Amino acid sequence: MAVSGAKKRIDNAVQNWRDVAARPHRFGGTEYFLGRREIGHVHGDSLVDIPFPKKVRDELVTAGRAEPHHIFPKSGWVSIYLGQPSDVDRAIELLHLSYEIATQHVAK
């Protein structure tokens, strides 16, 4: 289950957002930061993990927009498996939501 070119597409989108930095993730892939705050990371063309406040995470999971994190299901993190092109669009959308939340915290 993977979408060919998904990582590159996500990388291109996220790195165009103001003040976002990318670096290698410790378990493979690429993680994206706004300042010191991680907005998410991508594992190749198959998986994206994104942190949210627990309330937002619960809303996203309940709405079926994301799944509980594949390793830490009770955390504020969500996982998005990239099985089709629409999953990539959804991952970019949710990464942007994480970015918007991080932007509000950095501005304070």
Side-chain angles (χ1 to χ4, degrees):
M1 170 172 37
V3 177
S4 181
K7 181 192 178 303
K8 181 176 176 138
R9 196 167 141 218
I10 291 167
D11 210 44
N12 288 339
V14 176
Q15 290 199 57
N16 278 317
W17 301 337
R18 194 166 119 212
D19 299 325
V20 170
R23 63 183 183 217
H25 185 267
R26 68 183 179 268
F27 298 119
T30 302
E31 54 191 17
Y32 306 103
F33 279 81
L34 180 64
R36 294 185 317 170
R37 186 181 178 115
E38 183 178 354
I39 60 171
H41 55 263
V42 59
H43 297 282
D45 289 338
S46 61
L47 177 65
V48 175
D49 295 320
I50 308 170
F52 287 103
K54 189 83 162 68
K55 181 178 186 260
V56 175
R57 174 260 190 219
D58 291 345
E59 291 169 359
L60 293 170
V61 170
T62 299
R65 295 176 67 199
E67 295 184 35
H69 188 268
H70 60 105
I71 304 278
F72 303 107
K74 296 191 186 300
S75 72
W77 286 77
V78 300
S79 291
I80 301 167
Y81 293 94
L82 307 174
Q84 53 193 6
S86 62
D87 296 330
V88 179
D89 295 332
R90 186 165 39 91
I92 292 169
E93 176 185 323
L94 294 182
L95 282 162
H96 196 266
L97 177 59
S98 178
Y99 170 78
E100 289 174 350
I101 292 168
T103 299
Q104 293 170 1
H105 289 258
V106 169
K108 288 184 178 178

